[in-house]
Amino acid sequence: MEIFEDGSKLHEEVADELEKLYDKFTQEISWQAGDLAMIDNSRFMHGRREFKDNRRQVFTTIAKILD
């Protein structure tokens, strides 16, 4: 069960419903060598499945668009 910064807990029913929604809307990426994915954090949830590849390099860039 998730616990928030204020100490409150996420109800199990809510967690179960969220998991169903995650599964419904998850899009898998069929990765090929050299592929790149760019995701707007303000518009999409994102994550990755567990993998084992000691040669893989993951780079992260954080930018803020100024008006």
Side-chain angles (χ1 to χ4, degrees):
M1 179 158 311
E2 296 296 321
I3 300 176
F4 296 101
E5 186 175 350
D6 67 357
S8 63
K9 296 180 181 179
L10 182 64
H11 293 281
E12 189 171 338
E13 297 83 15
V14 175
D16 291 343
E17 185 63 26
L18 286 172
E19 188 170 340
K20 289 176 190 173
L21 290 170
Y22 297 154
D23 292 340
K24 180 179 179 179
F25 291 107
T26 295
Q27 294 289 318
E28 298 287 337
I29 298 174
S30 298
W31 294 98
Q32 302 295 319
D35 282 353
L36 169 73
M38 296 178 70
I39 300 170
D40 182 346
N41 280 354
S42 67
R43 299 188 57 121
F44 298 95
M45 292 177 48
H46 62 282
R48 65 174 171 81
R49 307 261 191 253
E50 182 179 6
F51 66 91
K52 294 184 189 318
D53 183 350
N54 295 334
R55 298 175 301 143
R56 182 175 175 160
Q57 294 179 322
V58 177
F59 299 93
T60 303
T61 300
I62 301 173
K64 181 176 182 175
I65 299 173
L66 302 174
D67 293 328

